[in-house]
Amino acid sequence: MKNILFLVAFLFLFQSAHAQLFTREKVLNDENVDKNFLSYGYYIGFNSYDFNFDYKTNKPDIQTKKSTGFNVGLIGNMRINNFLDLRLEPGLYITTRILEYPESYFNGMQFTSSDLEREVKSTYIHVPLLLKFSTKRINNFKPFIVGGLSTALNLSSNQDNPDDNSAGKFRTKKNMYFYEVGFGIDLYLYYFKFTPSIRGVFAINDELVRDADPNSPWTGNIESMKTRGVFINFTFQ
């Protein structure tokens, strides 16, 4: 009997919540904000970058020690129709990764503990061009998915540095290309639209600049090194 009463109470609460969120009409905040052909905003957020390695031979994997980075940028939005928008989101993305090499990469060589780690600092000017696919607005929120292509200029790249890992310099390329996919929800507040979102980013091209020595323990076994990451952004429009 107790279980039946619990089930009835749960169904009643679920029905009430469903009516409040999805069926009961509410006062719409800023109901014309999505009707502008062009609109603008800004975002702040966090990132977590990683590397995806492909190897030439079967050796232990190089590990990437990640850290939480910072994002800030602008948004330009072009309305195509009620459910589709084209967005340009240029921003500054700052991150640091540390590569940890297995000792087996240095077999037959003298090495120190500092040789087993390489710090990779990246400061990207990141410019994505995205398509945003939205659902119908439900009261004061609207879920969406987003995807597209992007390019990035790494201001911290030392691609042109003549020194390589033999002098302690791990080099990466300046120009990167990515594809991106994610989702979020537009929340229509009284004075503005607030949008939390999460997006995955995946590099298309190899980011590694190889050492002069083809048998270098730091780059010799790497077929490709491609950035991948997760962005969490908070947008204000």
Side-chain angles (χ1 to χ4, degrees), residues 8 19 32 37 64 95 100 125 129-130 147 152 169 173 198 204:
V8 171
N32 295 317
F37 177 65
T64 306
T95 189
E100 299 177 335
I125 300 295
L129 184 63
L130 306 168
K169 303 296 183 181
K173 294 178 181 177
I198 183 169
I204 298 171

Side-chain angles (χ1 to χ4, degrees), residues 36-231:
N36 296 324
F37 177 65
L38 295 176
S39 58
Y40 306 92
Y42 67 92
Y43 64 87
I44 58 174
F46 305 96
N47 65 66
S48 178
Y49 280 96
D50 195 358
F51 284 119
N52 181 50
F53 290 96
D54 289 326
Y55 301 98
K56 295 179 181 178
T57 61
N58 187 21
K59 288 185 177 182
D61 289 351
I62 301 168
Q63 301 299 316
T64 306
K65 185 177 179 181
K66 298 174 287 184
S67 62
T68 301
F70 178 72
N71 319 327
V72 62
L74 303 174
I75 292 174
N77 188 91
M78 185 179 74
R79 179 180 180 271
I80 298 175
N81 57 42
N82 289 336
F83 305 102
L84 185 62
D85 297 88
L86 183 66
R87 296 169 72 89
L88 188 66
E89 300 186 1
L92 179 68
Y93 290 67
I94 301 171
T95 189
T96 298
R97 289 159 282 185
I98 295 177
L99 302 182
E100 299 177 335
Y101 285 84
E103 292 185 6
S104 60
Y105 277 56
F106 298 85
N107 284 344
M109 301 174 59
Q110 289 186 342
F111 64 91
T112 65
S113 59
S114 62
D115 291 326
L116 299 177
E117 288 189 350
R118 285 292 182 264
E119 184 180 59
V120 184
K121 293 184 177 181
S122 301
T123 303
Y124 295 111
I125 300 295
H126 189 85
V127 185
L129 184 63
L130 306 168
L131 281 173
K132 177 185 175 184
F133 302 89
S134 303
T135 67
K136 182 179 179 181
R137 177 172 173 173
I138 306 170
N139 290 324
N140 285 316
F141 67 93
K142 183 167 66 173
F144 64 87
I145 59 173
V146 65
L149 300 174
S150 59
T151 184
L153 174 65
N154 187 357
L155 301 180
S156 300
S157 169
N158 49 9
Q159 175 178 324
D160 300 324
N161 192 330
D163 294 329
D164 60 17
N165 279 289
S166 61
K169 303 296 183 181
F170 191 92
R171 300 177 295 176
T172 55
K173 294 178 181 177
K174 292 180 181 178
N175 299 304
M176 294 297 300
Y177 304 95
F178 304 90
Y179 66 91
E180 306 185 20
V181 62
F183 63 92
I185 182 168
D186 289 328
L187 302 174
Y188 298 84
L189 306 182
Y190 190 78
Y191 291 107
F192 59 90
K193 182 169 68 173
F194 172 67
T195 305
S197 65
I198 183 169
R199 196 156 76 237
V201 57
F202 307 91
I204 298 171
N205 61 315
D206 182 11
E207 192 167 359
L208 179 66
V209 176
R210 287 160 179 80
D211 295 341
D213 180 3
N215 298 316
S216 165
W218 296 280
T219 64
N221 192 45
I222 299 175
E223 185 69 37
S224 70
M225 183 185 80
K226 296 180 179 179
T227 285
R228 59 187 179 185
V230 175
F231 304 156

